[in-house]
Amino acid sequence: MNNPAVICHKVDKTFQQGELAVHALSGVDLEIASGGFVCLSGPSGSGKTTLLNMIGGLDRPSGGEITVADLRIDRMRMSELAELRLHHIGFVFQAYNLIPVLNARENVEFVMQLQGVAAAKRHALAMDILEEVGLKGMEERRPGELSGGQQQRVAVARAIVSKPALILADEPTANLDSATAEKLMQQMRDLNTHIGTTFVISTHDKLVMSYAKRLIKLHDGKIVDDIAQQ
Amino acid sequence: MKTPTFMLITIAWRNLWRNHRRSLIMLTAIAIGLWGMIWMTALMRGMVDQMIDSAINTLSGHVQIHAEGFLDDPSIERTLPPVRDNPALQSLLDSARVTHWSERIRVPAVIRSERDVLGVTLVGIDPQQESGLSFIADSVTEGEYLAGVDDRHVLVGRKLLERLETKSGRRIVLMSQDPDNNIAERGFRIGGVFDTDLQVTETSYVFAGIETVRAMLKMGDGVSEISLLGPDYRNLDALAADVRAAAGKADTKTWLELDPYMATMLGVMDGVILIWFSIIFVALSFGLVNTLLMAVFERTREIGLLQALGMPPANILIMVLVESLIMLLIGLLAGNLLSWLTILPIQDGIDISGVAAGLEWAGMSSTLLPAVKSSDVLLANAIVLVLGIAASLFPAWRASRKVPVEAITRIWQ
């Protein structure tokens, strides 16, 4: 049996706002199996974003341990975390997803370029994935020339093109119409089913939740519900 | 991890043109800064070079040999034996290390025309040997240069001619002391008139054939001074040491030792140029650091995104430095072009007669010729480039040290 993709053990995160200490996460214990398709839901301020930040190595916990890909990321240096994100984690943000000076194809190729994939191969992969997400013919457009939904699809294409072991996504369907959202979720689910990519998605979207194998609800920095789904 | 150089250059280049106005202002500042360095240095160097040329051409040469005590008391008794009596010196002066040399007789004298009497220095020269060594041969603008060592004419300066209220071709009388302290005088016809940039040279010297002067002064074959030119006025130590060794007891001095004021001026000019470079660079670096800091600040979210996607901090640092390097290189190119375009029209000189008259004593002429030295241009470029990159290190470091979540927080929410 594969080791879990993510293990959080008694993870705390406290933000200091002046003299006030805000507990964004309080003793979160969570294990996400490899190949999991997990949705985090909960009201604003419940700690979804903070938990995604912690798992992605974008922020450090105030206490507790986080293990991703069998590595204790709470002890890693910035450069080691960057290396981990590059090779193991794909990100889809809610907004400001793309590098404005690169066109759609270059944005998709960006991670592969950092990974050292040969130019011809990454070009072909980028063109294929952009066609899959319905952006054929828009490869040379810069983010400013794309709609919000199109930008989001480029971001998703970038996140999945190099087939990372773990994809973290925050409201990936927020700017998409229902048909595109459906198609996108289907692609994610296919990737999850066929390649075993683990997904952790923060969302309010019922559609996204319907695709989840596991639904975790957060409230005030704590896990209040953890439901397995079909 | 291999650094994706091409990608970093691509992003840096495109980032540079995201804010056209700011980049153009910075490029203009770099170009004008470099232009200021090169242009002002060219003028200052030109001024110094003219002062040096003037000092060297006005009879001093690169190295001079005199009898002991002559410089303190330039009388006719203090003479050197001719070069032909010193085989070691003759051999050295005829070697490739010396481009020109000549013997001279110099005595204080009085020149008298029909109208006036003035004090001058009478210089007996070998016209052939002197050609190429000092200004005389190239400065005769009226009449003829001296034909030989026994030419019976004299050359006088234009200003002296005016003061004596006489003309080329007319007679004058020169009077001095012979070795026995008797008055030695002789009538000459003015064979030529020389013009120089310095009035003081025109009024101070009268030139005649060396044998003619010897005959007038009833002296033997001794000489007052031997002047020589080496290949480079800046590197004379070895040559001067060898001349000193060959000349024995004689007093051997380089032009800088003969003209300590000029030596000081050279040091001061180098200092002024360095201070000038520093002032321009400090002003420039503030602009550069500010521009890059602004660019980094504006791109906080983007830098966070790059980090989130796995770009290592070192690559972010390199990306900002490459952006700075591109800006510096374009600015330097424009600055060099601007320098060339502005120096080209004044390569024949700028008329500064309005201010140079007061500085004539320092060897400044009325026309200032800019002197563009490749070493100065390279130094200015190197200073802007190297220190520019150094100044960019701080903004680049700031960018690379950003905690991803601080930037990403804005993206998530």
Side-chain angles (χ1 to χ4, degrees):
Chain A
M1 188 175 168
N2 288 340
N3 289 336
V6 179
I7 302 170
C8 296
H9 180 61
K10 296 190 187 308
V11 172
D12 292 324
K13 182 63 183 180
T14 307
F15 294 109
Q16 203 67 36
Q17 290 186 339
E19 291 182 3
L20 186 69
V22 178
H23 300 284
L25 292 176
S26 302
V28 171
D29 281 309
L30 175 67
E31 195 171 301
I32 298 173
S34 285
F37 201 100
V38 178
C39 277
L40 303 177
S41 67
S44 293
S46 60
K48 305 188 298 291
T49 299
T50 308
L51 187 56
L52 278 178
N53 284 343
M54 299 294 152
I55 295 170
L58 300 175
D59 200 359
R60 293 179 192 281
S62 308
E65 299 170 3
I66 301 175
T67 304
V68 174
D70 296 330
L71 298 166
R72 277 286 298 277
I73 66 168
D74 52 287
R75 294 175 176 171
M76 282 183 168
R77 293 193 304 249
M78 275 178 76
S79 56
E80 290 171 333
L81 286 169
E83 186 83 9
L84 174 79
R85 286 194 294 268
L86 177 61
H87 293 286
H88 293 278
I89 305 173
F91 286 93
V92 181
F93 305 116
Q94 188 176 349
Y96 306 109
N97 253 314
L98 305 178
I99 301 158
V101 292
L102 301 182
N103 62 33
R105 178 183 53 76
E106 289 167 335
N107 263 288
V108 174
E109 284 188 43
F110 181 79
V111 173
M112 291 189 283
Q113 208 163 355
L114 284 176
Q115 289 171 337
V117 177
K121 186 181 175 187
R122 65 172 189 257
H123 183 85
L125 285 170
M127 296 301 276
D128 286 348
I129 200 81
L130 283 170
E131 187 176 352
E132 275 184 46
V133 297
L135 292 174
K136 188 174 168 60
M138 298 184 183
E139 299 88 351
E140 303 305 313
R141 291 194 189 175
R142 290 206 182 171
E145 298 164 333
L146 296 170
S147 69
Q150 288 167 336
Q151 287 185 38
Q152 193 69 347
R153 278 185 274 164
V154 175
V156 170
R158 182 184 57 203
I160 64 179
V161 71
S162 57
K163 299 181 173 57
L166 173 64
I167 290 180
L168 304 176
D170 180 59
E171 303 284 2
T173 57
N175 296 309
L176 303 182
D177 58 73
S178 56
T180 311
E182 181 86 47
K183 192 175 176 187
L184 175 67
M185 289 315 298
Q186 195 57 55
Q187 281 171 334
M188 288 184 170
R189 193 61 194 267
D190 286 349
L191 211 59
N192 172 255
T193 307
H194 301 303
I195 299 175
T197 305
T198 307
F199 282 83
V200 182
I201 304 168
S202 158
T203 188
H204 290 99
D205 188 343
K206 293 274 191 294
L207 173 75
V208 177
M209 289 184 211
S210 71
Y211 274 86
K213 294 177 183 172
R214 186 177 167 194
L215 183 61
I216 296 170
K217 291 185 180 171
L218 286 134
H219 191 83
D220 289 341
K222 291 176 183 166
I223 294 174
V224 292
D225 210 353
D226 191 342
I227 308 161
Q229 298 188 145
Q230 286 300 318
Chain B
M1 185 198 302
K2 194 180 161 195
T3 303
T5 315
F6 182 73
M7 181 184 71
L8 292 180
I9 293 172
T10 304
I11 295 177
W13 171 259
R14 292 180 187 173
N15 275 335
L16 190 63
W17 301 111
R18 285 168 73 177
N19 191 329
H20 287 80
R21 191 182 300 169
R22 189 171 58 205
S23 293
L24 284 174
I25 288 171
M26 195 58 227
L27 286 173
T28 306
I30 294 170
I32 290 176
L34 184 77
W35 170 80
M37 286 178 171
I38 294 175
W39 206 75
M40 279 300 291
T41 307
L43 293 187
M44 284 194 273
R45 285 273 183 231
M47 192 169 74
V48 172
D49 280 1
Q50 271 180 287
M51 289 159 80
I52 291 169
D53 283 348
S54 181
I56 291 171
N57 285 341
T58 310
L59 304 181
S60 67
H62 291 164
V63 180
Q64 280 193 352
I65 311 166
H66 298 96
E68 275 187 295
F70 179 85
L71 290 171
D72 293 329
D73 176 18
S75 69
I76 195 164
E77 298 96 48
R78 300 184 194 278
T79 57
L80 294 164
V83 172
R84 64 173 182 271
D85 291 353
N86 184 341
L89 184 59
Q90 177 87 57
S91 167
L92 179 61
L93 294 178
D94 289 340
S95 73
R97 297 174 64 193
V98 175
T99 57
H100 295 88
W101 68 272
S102 186
E103 296 169 321
R104 297 179 189 135
I105 292 170
R106 291 174 77 140
V107 287
V110 170
I111 188 167
R112 192 174 73 219
S113 68
E114 297 91 336
R115 303 279 185 187
D116 210 344
V117 179
L118 294 165
V120 292
T121 297
L122 172 62
V123 186
I125 59 170
D126 179 332
Q128 268 195 317
Q129 291 276 87
E130 201 67 41
S131 182
L133 173 64
S134 65
F135 72 96
I136 311 165
D138 299 327
S139 303
V140 176
T141 54
E142 187 181 340
E144 299 290 332
Y145 183 51
L146 298 173
V149 291
D150 52 2
D151 194 312
R152 289 167 179 273
H153 295 91
V154 290
L155 301 175
V156 298
R158 174 78 54 199
K159 198 70 187 172
L160 182 63
L161 199 74
E162 288 170 13
R163 287 188 182 171
L164 290 170
E165 295 181 55
T166 184
K167 287 180 179 175
S168 178
R170 289 196 180 167
R171 286 178 63 86
I172 49 91
V173 174
L174 279 162
M175 195 164 63
S176 187
Q177 260 188 330
D178 68 17
D180 300 324
N181 295 323
N182 294 318
I183 297 292
E185 69 175 346
R186 174 171 174 166
F188 290 88
R189 201 167 287 280
I190 298 171
V193 181
F194 61 86
D195 283 275
T196 67
D197 288 330
L198 308 180
Q199 279 193 18
V200 67
T201 305
E202 290 181 13
T203 55
S204 300
Y205 297 106
V206 173
F207 300 103
I210 190 167
E211 291 303 331
T212 306
V213 175
R214 278 199 181 106
M216 170 188 158
L217 299 173
K218 302 180 190 73
M219 60 186 287
D221 56 3
V223 297
S224 306
E225 74 182 20
I226 300 161
S227 179
L228 61 103
L229 286 180
D232 182 2
Y233 70 80
R234 283 161 297 203
N235 303 308
L236 292 169
D237 290 348
L239 178 61
D242 291 346
V243 171
R244 199 168 281 124
K249 282 185 176 179
D251 190 7
T252 303
K253 281 189 162 49
T254 64
W255 69 276
L256 278 171
E257 291 168 321
L258 289 164
D259 195 344
Y261 163 78
M262 191 57 67
T264 309
M265 278 296 288
L266 280 179
V268 169
M269 279 296 178
D270 283 344
V272 167
I273 285 171
L274 268 181
I275 291 169
W276 175 242
F277 277 19
S278 305
I279 290 170
I280 288 184
F281 181 75
V282 167
L284 210 59
S285 61
F286 275 110
L288 192 62
V289 170
N290 184 54
T291 299
L292 286 171
L293 276 177
M294 283 299 294
V296 166
F297 179 74
E298 281 176 3
R299 281 185 234 141
T300 297
R301 285 191 298 216
E302 228 172 287
I303 289 166
L305 173 65
L306 295 175
Q307 288 182 312
L309 294 176
M311 185 183 257
N315 280 4
I316 289 170
L317 184 131
I318 292 169
M319 187 183 72
V320 177
L321 287 181
V322 168
E323 198 173 322
S324 168
L325 180 68
I326 292 172
M327 189 148 59
L328 286 165
L329 288 176
I330 297 173
L332 290 180
L333 187 71
N336 283 308
L337 191 67
L338 185 64
S339 304
W340 182 70
L341 287 173
T342 51
I343 288 174
L344 204 62
I346 57 164
Q347 61 182 341
D348 293 330
I350 304 169
D351 182 10
I352 53 162
S353 50
V355 293
L359 288 169
E360 198 176 69
W361 55 272
M364 275 187 68
S365 77
S366 56
T367 305
L368 178 54
L369 290 166
V372 182
K373 294 202 180 333
S374 55
S375 56
D376 287 337
V377 175
L378 285 175
L379 181 67
N381 278 272
I383 283 178
V384 174
L385 191 62
V386 175
L387 296 183
I389 290 293
S392 310
L393 276 172
F394 176 64
W397 178 81
R398 281 282 299 269
S400 72
R401 301 309 298 171
K402 280 194 180 301
V403 179
V405 73
E406 287 175 7
I408 293 300
T409 302
R410 298 194 211 178
I411 299 171
W412 288 115
Q413 290 171 348

